[in-house]
Amino acid sequence: MALQTITDEYARLNRELHESNPKYGVGGFRHADQVMVLRDSYDANTVLDYGCGKGMLKKSLGDPDWMSEYDPAVPGKETLPGRADIVVATDVLEHIERDLIDNVLFQIARIADKAAFLVIATRPAGKTLSDGTNAHKIIEDADWWREKISERFLIMEWRVNPGHSVEAVVCTVREIRGITAKSAVSDTIRYENAI
């Protein structure tokens, strides 16, 4: 069974807002320079714009082949393309349903091979869904987000824009399943010297 990261109803509400508001999901272009710096810094061959909205980040970079897009509320972009060296999620995590945020962070950690770039609003959105609720589902401060993100990632960079947003460059913390060691001496000699 696939990991649930959005409910059908919430995906529908977001699709409606994308269709009715041409200014919804268009802010990705603001982060183009930072994405290029990260791509160079991490020697990344692939970048995934996770929650890409109308795809303005990719368009602002000249529609490169090395960038893929995913957004479960945008027709044609609702299939997760798989792993990428860098996963970019700008103005995304605050839109996630609160009880599914851990699943989304797990999914990002699973598909980000080298790093992820996260930009998260810490204030209410200026847009409202058709059910009357704010488009930002999680409105928390920088400390809350830092704790939540550190459950799944190693935070490499952390910037706070007070009353507005946080920006983070993070790396996945992967579980070590076992370490095999080889010794230059036999087990018998090691055991004798340990006593």
Side-chain angles (χ1 to χ4, degrees), residues 129-165:
L129 299 168
S130 64
D131 68 353
T133 62
N134 192 274
H136 289 173
K137 294 299 169 201
I138 303 175
I139 302 167
E140 295 289 352
D141 65 14
D143 291 338
W144 187 92
W145 279 109
R146 187 177 183 100
E147 184 176 329
K148 178 57 72 178
I149 289 167
S150 65
E151 291 171 4
R152 183 70 56 196
F153 298 96
L154 176 62
I155 298 173
M156 307 302 288
E157 295 177 36
W158 184 261
R159 285 183 295 282
V160 177
N161 303 310
H164 186 267
S165 63

PDB file of all heavy atoms in Angstrom, residues 129-165:
ATOM      1  N   LEU A 129      -9.142  28.208   0.705  1.00  0.00           N
ATOM      2  CA  LEU A 129      -9.717  27.120  -0.092  1.00  0.00           C
ATOM      3  C   LEU A 129     -11.228  27.300  -0.175  1.00  0.00           C
ATOM      4  O   LEU A 129     -11.821  28.045   0.610  1.00  0.00           O
ATOM      5  CB  LEU A 129      -9.359  25.775   0.534  1.00  0.00           C
ATOM      6  CG  LEU A 129      -7.857  25.475   0.619  1.00  0.00           C
ATOM      7  CD1 LEU A 129      -7.604  24.274   1.504  1.00  0.00           C
ATOM      8  CD2 LEU A 129      -7.269  25.265  -0.767  1.00  0.00           C
ATOM      9  N   SER A 130     -11.860  26.585  -1.104  1.00  0.00           N
ATOM     10  CA  SER A 130     -13.303  26.749  -1.302  1.00  0.00           C
ATOM     11  C   SER A 130     -14.135  26.280  -0.110  1.00  0.00           C
ATOM     12  O   SER A 130     -15.310  26.638   0.005  1.00  0.00           O
ATOM     13  CB  SER A 130     -13.760  26.040  -2.576  1.00  0.00           C
ATOM     14  OG  SER A 130     -13.566  24.641  -2.462  1.00  0.00           O
ATOM     15  N   ASP A 131     -13.533  25.505   0.809  1.00  0.00           N
ATOM     16  CA  ASP A 131     -14.262  25.094   2.016  1.00  0.00           C
ATOM     17  C   ASP A 131     -14.166  26.154   3.120  1.00  0.00           C
ATOM     18  O   ASP A 131     -14.647  25.953   4.230  1.00  0.00           O
ATOM     19  CB  ASP A 131     -13.773  23.732   2.518  1.00  0.00           C
ATOM     20  CG  ASP A 131     -12.344  23.759   3.052  1.00  0.00           C
ATOM     21  OD1 ASP A 131     -11.649  24.802   2.924  1.00  0.00           O
ATOM     22  OD2 ASP A 131     -11.906  22.719   3.591  1.00  0.00           O
ATOM     23  N   GLY A 132     -13.506  27.288   2.814  1.00  0.00           N
ATOM     24  CA  GLY A 132     -13.393  28.387   3.771  1.00  0.00           C
ATOM     25  C   GLY A 132     -12.178  28.339   4.666  1.00  0.00           C
ATOM     26  O   GLY A 132     -11.964  29.255   5.463  1.00  0.00           O
ATOM     27  N   THR A 133     -11.355  27.292   4.547  1.00  0.00           N
ATOM     28  CA  THR A 133     -10.167  27.184   5.404  1.00  0.00           C
ATOM     29  C   THR A 133      -8.961  27.842   4.743  1.00  0.00           C
ATOM     30  O   THR A 133      -8.896  27.982   3.523  1.00  0.00           O
ATOM     31  CB  THR A 133      -9.836  25.717   5.726  1.00  0.00           C
ATOM     32  OG1 THR A 133      -9.549  25.022   4.503  1.00  0.00           O
ATOM     33  CG2 THR A 133     -10.994  25.040   6.448  1.00  0.00           C
ATOM     34  N   ASN A 134      -8.010  28.236   5.582  1.00  0.00           N
ATOM     35  CA  ASN A 134      -6.784  28.850   5.091  1.00  0.00           C
ATOM     36  C   ASN A 134      -5.993  27.820   4.290  1.00  0.00           C
ATOM     37  O   ASN A 134      -5.971  26.637   4.627  1.00  0.00           O
ATOM     38  CB  ASN A 134      -5.953  29.363   6.271  1.00  0.00           C
ATOM     39  CG  ASN A 134      -4.830  30.262   5.819  1.00  0.00           C
ATOM     40  OD1 ASN A 134      -3.748  29.795   5.480  1.00  0.00           O
ATOM     41  ND2 ASN A 134      -5.094  31.563   5.813  1.00  0.00           N
ATOM     42  N   ALA A 135      -5.308  28.275   3.244  1.00  0.00           N
ATOM     43  CA  ALA A 135      -4.512  27.375   2.404  1.00  0.00           C
ATOM     44  C   ALA A 135      -3.324  26.784   3.161  1.00  0.00           C
ATOM     45  O   ALA A 135      -2.834  25.716   2.797  1.00  0.00           O
ATOM     46  CB  ALA A 135      -4.044  28.097   1.146  1.00  0.00           C
ATOM     47  N   HIS A 136      -2.851  27.457   4.222  1.00  0.00           N
ATOM     48  CA  HIS A 136      -1.798  26.900   5.054  1.00  0.00           C
ATOM     49  C   HIS A 136      -2.440  26.065   6.151  1.00  0.00           C
ATOM     50  O   HIS A 136      -3.156  26.593   7.003  1.00  0.00           O
ATOM     51  CB  HIS A 136      -0.929  28.000   5.667  1.00  0.00           C
ATOM     52  CG  HIS A 136      -0.064  28.691   4.674  1.00  0.00           C
ATOM     53  ND1 HIS A 136       0.692  29.800   4.996  1.00  0.00           N
ATOM     54  CD2 HIS A 136       0.181  28.452   3.356  1.00  0.00           C
ATOM     55  CE1 HIS A 136       1.365  30.192   3.925  1.00  0.00           C
ATOM     56  NE2 HIS A 136       1.058  29.403   2.920  1.00  0.00           N
ATOM     57  N   LYS A 137      -2.174  24.791   6.138  1.00  0.00           N
ATOM     58  CA  LYS A 137      -2.780  23.875   7.107  1.00  0.00           C
ATOM     59  C   LYS A 137      -1.982  23.770   8.397  1.00  0.00           C
ATOM     60  O   LYS A 137      -2.512  23.414   9.434  1.00  0.00           O
ATOM     61  CB  LYS A 137      -2.932  22.474   6.486  1.00  0.00           C
ATOM     62  CG  LYS A 137      -3.922  22.448   5.347  1.00  0.00           C
ATOM     63  CD  LYS A 137      -5.268  22.858   5.855  1.00  0.00           C
ATOM     64  CE  LYS A 137      -6.264  23.127   4.769  1.00  0.00           C
ATOM     65  NZ  LYS A 137      -7.356  23.962   5.237  1.00  0.00           N
ATOM     66  N   ILE A 138      -0.668  24.032   8.325  1.00  0.00           N
ATOM     67  CA  ILE A 138       0.170  23.983   9.521  1.00  0.00           C
ATOM     68  C   ILE A 138       0.794  25.363   9.703  1.00  0.00           C
ATOM     69  O   ILE A 138       1.650  25.769   8.915  1.00  0.00           O
ATOM     70  CB  ILE A 138       1.270  22.911   9.413  1.00  0.00           C
ATOM     71  CG1 ILE A 138       0.663  21.529   9.153  1.00  0.00           C
ATOM     72  CG2 ILE A 138       2.119  22.908  10.685  1.00  0.00           C
ATOM     73  CD1 ILE A 138       1.696  20.440   8.926  1.00  0.00           C
ATOM     74  N   ILE A 139       0.358  26.064  10.705  1.00  0.00           N
ATOM     75  CA  ILE A 139       0.915  27.382  11.006  1.00  0.00           C
ATOM     76  C   ILE A 139       1.632  27.263  12.348  1.00  0.00           C
ATOM     77  O   ILE A 139       1.001  27.247  13.402  1.00  0.00           O
ATOM     78  CB  ILE A 139      -0.184  28.463  11.041  1.00  0.00           C
ATOM     79  CG1 ILE A 139      -0.924  28.498   9.706  1.00  0.00           C
ATOM     80  CG2 ILE A 139       0.429  29.831  11.372  1.00  0.00           C
ATOM     81  CD1 ILE A 139      -2.210  29.286   9.725  1.00  0.00           C
ATOM     82  N   GLU A 140       2.947  27.114  12.258  1.00  0.00           N
ATOM     83  CA  GLU A 140       3.784  26.942  13.443  1.00  0.00           C
ATOM     84  C   GLU A 140       5.015  27.822  13.317  1.00  0.00           C
ATOM     85  O   GLU A 140       5.375  28.239  12.212  1.00  0.00           O
ATOM     86  CB  GLU A 140       4.206  25.475  13.601  1.00  0.00           C
ATOM     87  CG  GLU A 140       3.060  24.514  13.869  1.00  0.00           C
ATOM     88  CD  GLU A 140       2.456  24.641  15.259  1.00  0.00           C
ATOM     89  OE1 GLU A 140       3.015  25.378  16.102  1.00  0.00           O
ATOM     90  OE2 GLU A 140       1.419  24.002  15.496  1.00  0.00           O
ATOM     91  N   ASP A 141       5.681  28.063  14.442  1.00  0.00           N
ATOM     92  CA  ASP A 141       6.855  28.916  14.427  1.00  0.00           C
ATOM     93  C   ASP A 141       8.108  28.135  14.021  1.00  0.00           C
ATOM     94  O   ASP A 141       8.072  26.912  13.832  1.00  0.00           O
ATOM     95  CB  ASP A 141       7.043  29.613  15.769  1.00  0.00           C
ATOM     96  CG  ASP A 141       7.348  28.663  16.919  1.00  0.00           C
ATOM     97  OD1 ASP A 141       7.675  27.476  16.688  1.00  0.00           O
ATOM     98  OD2 ASP A 141       7.269  29.118  18.077  1.00  0.00           O
ATOM     99  N   ALA A 142       9.229  28.852  13.910  1.00  0.00           N
ATOM    100  CA  ALA A 142      10.481  28.256  13.455  1.00  0.00           C
ATOM    101  C   ALA A 142      10.962  27.140  14.382  1.00  0.00           C
ATOM    102  O   ALA A 142      11.478  26.122  13.906  1.00  0.00           O
ATOM    103  CB  ALA A 142      11.551  29.337  13.333  1.00  0.00           C
ATOM    104  N   ASP A 143      10.780  27.298  15.695  1.00  0.00           N
ATOM    105  CA  ASP A 143      11.230  26.265  16.638  1.00  0.00           C
ATOM    106  C   ASP A 143      10.476  24.961  16.422  1.00  0.00           C
ATOM    107  O   ASP A 143      11.064  23.875  16.468  1.00  0.00           O
ATOM    108  CB  ASP A 143      11.056  26.743  18.087  1.00  0.00           C
ATOM    109  CG  ASP A 143      12.014  27.864  18.448  1.00  0.00           C
ATOM    110  OD1 ASP A 143      13.060  27.993  17.785  1.00  0.00           O
ATOM    111  OD2 ASP A 143      11.692  28.625  19.386  1.00  0.00           O
ATOM    112  N   TRP A 144       9.164  25.058  16.195  1.00  0.00           N
ATOM    113  CA  TRP A 144       8.357  23.856  15.960  1.00  0.00           C
ATOM    114  C   TRP A 144       8.841  23.142  14.699  1.00  0.00           C
ATOM    115  O   TRP A 144       9.030  21.929  14.699  1.00  0.00           O
ATOM    116  CB  TRP A 144       6.875  24.227  15.823  1.00  0.00           C
ATOM    117  CG  TRP A 144       5.977  23.036  15.741  1.00  0.00           C
ATOM    118  CD1 TRP A 144       5.358  22.401  16.779  1.00  0.00           C
ATOM    119  CD2 TRP A 144       5.563  22.334  14.552  1.00  0.00           C
ATOM    120  NE1 TRP A 144       4.599  21.344  16.318  1.00  0.00           N
ATOM    121  CE2 TRP A 144       4.712  21.287  14.946  1.00  0.00           C
ATOM    122  CE3 TRP A 144       5.839  22.486  13.196  1.00  0.00           C
ATOM    123  CZ2 TRP A 144       4.127  20.393  14.036  1.00  0.00           C
ATOM    124  CZ3 TRP A 144       5.264  21.601  12.284  1.00  0.00           C
ATOM    125  CH2 TRP A 144       4.424  20.576  12.705  1.00  0.00           C
ATOM    126  N   TRP A 145       9.063  23.912  13.634  1.00  0.00           N
ATOM    127  CA  TRP A 145       9.508  23.301  12.372  1.00  0.00           C
ATOM    128  C   TRP A 145      10.909  22.705  12.517  1.00  0.00           C
ATOM    129  O   TRP A 145      11.185  21.627  11.970  1.00  0.00           O
ATOM    130  CB  TRP A 145       9.466  24.318  11.240  1.00  0.00           C
ATOM    131  CG  TRP A 145       8.079  24.476  10.687  1.00  0.00           C
ATOM    132  CD1 TRP A 145       7.256  25.555  10.830  1.00  0.00           C
ATOM    133  CD2 TRP A 145       7.349  23.516   9.921  1.00  0.00           C
ATOM    134  NE1 TRP A 145       6.056  25.321  10.194  1.00  0.00           N
ATOM    135  CE2 TRP A 145       6.081  24.071   9.627  1.00  0.00           C
ATOM    136  CE3 TRP A 145       7.627  22.239   9.451  1.00  0.00           C
ATOM    137  CZ2 TRP A 145       5.116  23.396   8.879  1.00  0.00           C
ATOM    138  CZ3 TRP A 145       6.665  21.557   8.710  1.00  0.00           C
ATOM    139  CH2 TRP A 145       5.433  22.137   8.442  1.00  0.00           C
ATOM    140  N   ARG A 146      11.782  23.367  13.245  1.00  0.00           N
ATOM    141  CA  ARG A 146      13.141  22.828  13.419  1.00  0.00           C
ATOM    142  C   ARG A 146      13.090  21.470  14.117  1.00  0.00           C
ATOM    143  O   ARG A 146      13.771  20.529  13.719  1.00  0.00           O
ATOM    144  CB  ARG A 146      14.009  23.809  14.201  1.00  0.00           C
ATOM    145  CG  ARG A 146      15.458  23.379  14.264  1.00  0.00           C
ATOM    146  CD  ARG A 146      16.331  24.404  14.994  1.00  0.00           C
ATOM    147  NE  ARG A 146      17.699  23.976  14.949  1.00  0.00           N
ATOM    148  CZ  ARG A 146      18.608  24.442  14.105  1.00  0.00           C
ATOM    149  NH1 ARG A 146      18.292  25.384  13.244  1.00  0.00           N
ATOM    150  NH2 ARG A 146      19.844  23.980  14.119  1.00  0.00           N
ATOM    151  N   GLU A 147      12.285  21.388  15.159  1.00  0.00           N
ATOM    152  CA  GLU A 147      12.157  20.113  15.876  1.00  0.00           C
ATOM    153  C   GLU A 147      11.559  19.038  14.972  1.00  0.00           C
ATOM    154  O   GLU A 147      12.032  17.902  14.939  1.00  0.00           O
ATOM    155  CB  GLU A 147      11.293  20.297  17.124  1.00  0.00           C
ATOM    156  CG  GLU A 147      11.194  19.051  17.960  1.00  0.00           C
ATOM    157  CD  GLU A 147      10.418  19.256  19.249  1.00  0.00           C
ATOM    158  OE1 GLU A 147      10.447  20.372  19.800  1.00  0.00           O
ATOM    159  OE2 GLU A 147       9.784  18.292  19.700  1.00  0.00           O
ATOM    160  N   LYS A 148      10.525  19.367  14.220  1.00  0.00           N
ATOM    161  CA  LYS A 148       9.854  18.414  13.333  1.00  0.00           C
ATOM    162  C   LYS A 148      10.808  17.928  12.241  1.00  0.00           C
ATOM    163  O   LYS A 148      10.892  16.733  11.960  1.00  0.00           O
ATOM    164  CB  LYS A 148       8.610  19.072  12.716  1.00  0.00           C
ATOM    165  CG  LYS A 148       7.850  18.212  11.744  1.00  0.00           C
ATOM    166  CD  LYS A 148       7.370  16.896  12.311  1.00  0.00           C
ATOM    167  CE  LYS A 148       6.234  17.024  13.276  1.00  0.00           C
ATOM    168  NZ  LYS A 148       5.767  15.696  13.757  1.00  0.00           N
ATOM    169  N   ILE A 149      11.541  18.834  11.637  1.00  0.00           N
ATOM    170  CA  ILE A 149      12.449  18.467  10.551  1.00  0.00           C
ATOM    171  C   ILE A 149      13.630  17.649  11.070  1.00  0.00           C
ATOM    172  O   ILE A 149      14.076  16.702  10.425  1.00  0.00           O
ATOM    173  CB  ILE A 149      12.920  19.740   9.807  1.00  0.00           C
ATOM    174  CG1 ILE A 149      11.740  20.307   9.009  1.00  0.00           C
ATOM    175  CG2 ILE A 149      14.105  19.457   8.901  1.00  0.00           C
ATOM    176  CD1 ILE A 149      11.968  21.699   8.498  1.00  0.00           C
ATOM    177  N   SER A 150      14.114  17.981  12.270  1.00  0.00           N
ATOM    178  CA  SER A 150      15.272  17.264  12.811  1.00  0.00           C
ATOM    179  C   SER A 150      14.932  15.822  13.210  1.00  0.00           C
ATOM    180  O   SER A 150      15.833  15.021  13.444  1.00  0.00           O
ATOM    181  CB  SER A 150      15.878  18.022  13.990  1.00  0.00           C
ATOM    182  OG  SER A 150      14.978  18.070  15.069  1.00  0.00           O
ATOM    183  N   GLU A 151      13.653  15.477  13.274  1.00  0.00           N
ATOM    184  CA  GLU A 151      13.269  14.082  13.523  1.00  0.00           C
ATOM    185  C   GLU A 151      13.656  13.183  12.346  1.00  0.00           C
ATOM    186  O   GLU A 151      13.845  11.987  12.511  1.00  0.00           O
ATOM    187  CB  GLU A 151      11.759  13.971  13.747  1.00  0.00           C
ATOM    188  CG  GLU A 151      11.269  14.594  15.025  1.00  0.00           C
ATOM    189  CD  GLU A 151       9.748  14.653  15.112  1.00  0.00           C
ATOM    190  OE1 GLU A 151       9.055  14.132  14.204  1.00  0.00           O
ATOM    191  OE2 GLU A 151       9.248  15.244  16.079  1.00  0.00           O
ATOM    192  N   ARG A 152      13.766  13.764  11.188  1.00  0.00           N
ATOM    193  CA  ARG A 152      13.972  12.986   9.962  1.00  0.00           C
ATOM    194  C   ARG A 152      15.264  13.350   9.226  1.00  0.00           C
ATOM    195  O   ARG A 152      15.767  12.565   8.443  1.00  0.00           O
ATOM    196  CB  ARG A 152      12.764  13.210   9.048  1.00  0.00           C
ATOM    197  CG  ARG A 152      12.731  12.472   7.785  1.00  0.00           C
ATOM    198  CD  ARG A 152      12.500  10.992   7.884  1.00  0.00           C
ATOM    199  NE  ARG A 152      11.300  10.663   8.596  1.00  0.00           N
ATOM    200  CZ  ARG A 152      11.040   9.451   9.069  1.00  0.00           C
ATOM    201  NH1 ARG A 152      11.883   8.482   8.883  1.00  0.00           N
ATOM    202  NH2 ARG A 152       9.936   9.207   9.727  1.00  0.00           N
ATOM    203  N   PHE A 153      15.798  14.542   9.465  1.00  0.00           N
ATOM    204  CA  PHE A 153      16.933  15.044   8.688  1.00  0.00           C
ATOM    205  C   PHE A 153      18.027  15.607   9.581  1.00  0.00           C
ATOM    206  O   PHE A 153      17.770  16.032  10.700  1.00  0.00           O
ATOM    207  CB  PHE A 153      16.480  16.185   7.758  1.00  0.00           C
ATOM    208  CG  PHE A 153      15.453  15.800   6.737  1.00  0.00           C
ATOM    209  CD1 PHE A 153      14.098  16.010   6.982  1.00  0.00           C
ATOM    210  CD2 PHE A 153      15.827  15.247   5.518  1.00  0.00           C
ATOM    211  CE1 PHE A 153      13.141  15.674   6.047  1.00  0.00           C
ATOM    212  CE2 PHE A 153      14.878  14.909   4.571  1.00  0.00           C
ATOM    213  CZ  PHE A 153      13.539  15.119   4.828  1.00  0.00           C
ATOM    214  N   LEU A 154      19.217  15.687   9.004  1.00  0.00           N
ATOM    215  CA  LEU A 154      20.322  16.427   9.594  1.00  0.00           C
ATOM    216  C   LEU A 154      20.264  17.821   8.979  1.00  0.00           C
ATOM    217  O   LEU A 154      20.305  17.964   7.757  1.00  0.00           O
ATOM    218  CB  LEU A 154      21.648  15.748   9.260  1.00  0.00           C
ATOM    219  CG  LEU A 154      22.915  16.461   9.725  1.00  0.00           C
ATOM    220  CD1 LEU A 154      22.942  16.570  11.248  1.00  0.00           C
ATOM    221  CD2 LEU A 154      24.140  15.740   9.210  1.00  0.00           C
ATOM    222  N   ILE A 155      20.127  18.846   9.800  1.00  0.00           N
ATOM    223  CA  ILE A 155      19.994  20.219   9.304  1.00  0.00           C
ATOM    224  C   ILE A 155      21.388  20.784   9.049  1.00  0.00           C
ATOM    225  O   ILE A 155      22.184  20.932   9.972  1.00  0.00           O
ATOM    226  CB  ILE A 155      19.205  21.099  10.296  1.00  0.00           C
ATOM    227  CG1 ILE A 155      17.776  20.550  10.457  1.00  0.00           C
ATOM    228  CG2 ILE A 155      19.178  22.546   9.820  1.00  0.00           C
ATOM    229  CD1 ILE A 155      16.955  21.220  11.537  1.00  0.00           C
ATOM    230  N   MET A 156      21.662  21.116   7.792  1.00  0.00           N
ATOM    231  CA  MET A 156      22.960  21.656   7.387  1.00  0.00           C
ATOM    232  C   MET A 156      22.965  23.184   7.451  1.00  0.00           C
ATOM    233  O   MET A 156      23.959  23.781   7.811  1.00  0.00           O
ATOM    234  CB  MET A 156      23.302  21.196   5.966  1.00  0.00           C
ATOM    235  CG  MET A 156      23.219  19.684   5.779  1.00  0.00           C
ATOM    236  SD  MET A 156      24.288  18.765   6.898  1.00  0.00           S
ATOM    237  CE  MET A 156      25.880  19.129   6.213  1.00  0.00           C
ATOM    238  N   GLU A 157      21.857  23.802   7.051  1.00  0.00           N
ATOM    239  CA  GLU A 157      21.706  25.263   7.099  1.00  0.00           C
ATOM    240  C   GLU A 157      20.305  25.567   7.597  1.00  0.00           C
ATOM    241  O   GLU A 157      19.354  24.862   7.241  1.00  0.00           O
ATOM    242  CB  GLU A 157      21.880  25.882   5.710  1.00  0.00           C
ATOM    243  CG  GLU A 157      23.246  25.742   5.101  1.00  0.00           C
ATOM    244  CD  GLU A 157      23.305  26.329   3.700  1.00  0.00           C
ATOM    245  OE1 GLU A 157      22.641  27.358   3.451  1.00  0.00           O
ATOM    246  OE2 GLU A 157      24.012  25.743   2.854  1.00  0.00           O
ATOM    247  N   TRP A 158      20.173  26.640   8.369  1.00  0.00           N
ATOM    248  CA  TRP A 158      18.876  27.022   8.923  1.00  0.00           C
ATOM    249  C   TRP A 158      18.799  28.539   8.978  1.00  0.00           C
ATOM    250  O   TRP A 158      19.646  29.178   9.599  1.00  0.00           O
ATOM    251  CB  TRP A 158      18.708  26.436  10.320  1.00  0.00           C
ATOM    252  CG  TRP A 158      17.384  26.691  10.950  1.00  0.00           C
ATOM    253  CD1 TRP A 158      17.084  27.660  11.873  1.00  0.00           C
ATOM    254  CD2 TRP A 158      16.175  25.979  10.719  1.00  0.00           C
ATOM    255  NE1 TRP A 158      15.763  27.587  12.226  1.00  0.00           N
ATOM    256  CE2 TRP A 158      15.172  26.550  11.522  1.00  0.00           C
ATOM    257  CE3 TRP A 158      15.827  24.904   9.907  1.00  0.00           C
ATOM    258  CZ2 TRP A 158      13.867  26.105  11.548  1.00  0.00           C
ATOM    259  CZ3 TRP A 158      14.527  24.448   9.925  1.00  0.00           C
ATOM    260  CH2 TRP A 158      13.562  25.042  10.742  1.00  0.00           C
ATOM    261  N   ARG A 159      17.837  29.124   8.284  1.00  0.00           N
ATOM    262  CA  ARG A 159      17.643  30.574   8.301  1.00  0.00           C
ATOM    263  C   ARG A 159      16.194  30.866   8.673  1.00  0.00           C
ATOM    264  O   ARG A 159      15.271  30.254   8.144  1.00  0.00           O
ATOM    265  CB  ARG A 159      17.943  31.174   6.927  1.00  0.00           C
ATOM    266  CG  ARG A 159      19.407  31.253   6.610  1.00  0.00           C
ATOM    267  CD  ARG A 159      19.670  31.907   5.272  1.00  0.00           C
ATOM    268  NE  ARG A 159      19.161  31.162   4.132  1.00  0.00           N
ATOM    269  CZ  ARG A 159      19.722  30.095   3.593  1.00  0.00           C
ATOM    270  NH1 ARG A 159      20.823  29.616   4.115  1.00  0.00           N
ATOM    271  NH2 ARG A 159      19.198  29.502   2.551  1.00  0.00           N
ATOM    272  N   VAL A 160      16.018  31.828   9.549  1.00  0.00           N
ATOM    273  CA  VAL A 160      14.682  32.237   9.980  1.00  0.00           C
ATOM    274  C   VAL A 160      14.408  33.648   9.465  1.00  0.00           C
ATOM    275  O   VAL A 160      15.223  34.550   9.673  1.00  0.00           O
ATOM    276  CB  VAL A 160      14.553  32.207  11.519  1.00  0.00           C
ATOM    277  CG1 VAL A 160      13.183  32.694  11.955  1.00  0.00           C
ATOM    278  CG2 VAL A 160      14.829  30.803  12.052  1.00  0.00           C
ATOM    279  N   ASN A 161      13.305  33.819   8.792  1.00  0.00           N
ATOM    280  CA  ASN A 161      12.805  35.136   8.399  1.00  0.00           C
ATOM    281  C   ASN A 161      11.651  35.409   9.358  1.00  0.00           C
ATOM    282  O   ASN A 161      10.525  34.963   9.113  1.00  0.00           O
ATOM    283  CB  ASN A 161      12.325  35.132   6.946  1.00  0.00           C
ATOM    284  CG  ASN A 161      13.426  34.704   5.999  1.00  0.00           C
ATOM    285  OD1 ASN A 161      14.516  35.225   6.057  1.00  0.00           O
ATOM    286  ND2 ASN A 161      13.154  33.724   5.155  1.00  0.00           N
ATOM    287  N   PRO A 162      11.905  36.105  10.490  1.00  0.00           N
ATOM    288  CA  PRO A 162      10.915  36.238  11.566  1.00  0.00           C
ATOM    289  C   PRO A 162       9.529  36.664  11.077  1.00  0.00           C
ATOM    290  O   PRO A 162       9.392  37.602  10.303  1.00  0.00           O
ATOM    291  CB  PRO A 162      11.532  37.303  12.481  1.00  0.00           C
ATOM    292  CG  PRO A 162      13.005  37.201  12.233  1.00  0.00           C
ATOM    293  CD  PRO A 162      13.127  36.866  10.769  1.00  0.00           C
ATOM    294  N   GLY A 163       8.532  35.921  11.545  1.00  0.00           N
ATOM    295  CA  GLY A 163       7.145  36.212  11.210  1.00  0.00           C
ATOM    296  C   GLY A 163       6.767  35.878   9.786  1.00  0.00           C
ATOM    297  O   GLY A 163       5.648  36.155   9.353  1.00  0.00           O
ATOM    298  N   HIS A 164       7.665  35.252   9.060  1.00  0.00           N
ATOM    299  CA  HIS A 164       7.415  34.983   7.648  1.00  0.00           C
ATOM    300  C   HIS A 164       7.668  33.527   7.262  1.00  0.00           C
ATOM    301  O   HIS A 164       6.757  32.824   6.827  1.00  0.00           O
ATOM    302  CB  HIS A 164       8.276  35.912   6.789  1.00  0.00           C
ATOM    303  CG  HIS A 164       7.993  35.820   5.337  1.00  0.00           C
ATOM    304  ND1 HIS A 164       8.695  34.978   4.503  1.00  0.00           N
ATOM    305  CD2 HIS A 164       7.083  36.443   4.570  1.00  0.00           C
ATOM    306  CE1 HIS A 164       8.226  35.084   3.270  1.00  0.00           C
ATOM    307  NE2 HIS A 164       7.251  35.970   3.287  1.00  0.00           N
ATOM    308  N   SER A 165       8.935  33.064   7.412  1.00  0.00           N
ATOM    309  CA  SER A 165       9.267  31.722   6.938  1.00  0.00           C
ATOM    310  C   SER A 165      10.586  31.235   7.529  1.00  0.00           C
ATOM    311  O   SER A 165      11.318  31.988   8.166  1.00  0.00           O
ATOM    312  CB  SER A 165       9.373  31.718   5.405  1.00  0.00           C
ATOM    313  OG  SER A 165      10.433  32.563   4.993  1.00  0.00           O
TER     314      SER A 165
END
